[in-house]
Amino acid sequence: MSAHCQLTGTKPGFGNTVSHSHRRTSRRFDPNIQRKRYWLPSEGRHVRLTLSTKAIKTVDVIGIEAAVARIRARGGKV
């Protein structure tokens, strides 16, 4: 599963791990991505979305219909 949110577009960030001796090695900051299944009443089916935890809270506020409309407006496939 790629570390990419379908709703917000959140992707991994990159940076360095700095040791005690100040040596730097590269690392990734992955977003907290979860797979969540929602019932989509307008289409009469379930959809499985790959969302960050912040996006899950956003879906709870705006509703699944509006969230799917936003994903499709971004060019995403549902």
Side-chain angles (χ1 to χ4, degrees):
M1 173 171 46
S2 69
H4 181 271
C5 176
Q6 288 180 294
L7 182 61
T8 61
T10 306
K11 295 178 184 174
F14 295 90
N16 290 310
T17 299
V18 182
S19 70
H20 179 68
S21 64
H22 220 60
R23 288 180 57 121
R24 292 168 181 185
T25 54
S26 52
R27 61 160 294 180
R28 269 170 60 136
F29 294 91
D30 285 329
N32 189 358
I33 298 293
Q34 308 293 323
R35 287 186 56 132
K36 188 120 168 82
R37 189 170 170 247
Y38 290 99
W39 173 252
L40 196 57
S42 64
E43 298 181 16
R45 67 184 182 106
H46 284 96
V47 291
R48 188 177 300 276
L49 300 175
T50 305
L51 301 171
S52 64
T53 51
K54 182 179 178 181
I56 291 172
K57 293 174 189 175
T58 303
V59 171
D60 291 342
V61 172
I62 67 172
I64 186 62
E65 298 288 345
V68 168
R70 283 189 192 180
I71 292 170
R72 288 181 173 149
R74 292 182 72 236
K77 186 178 172 186
V78 177

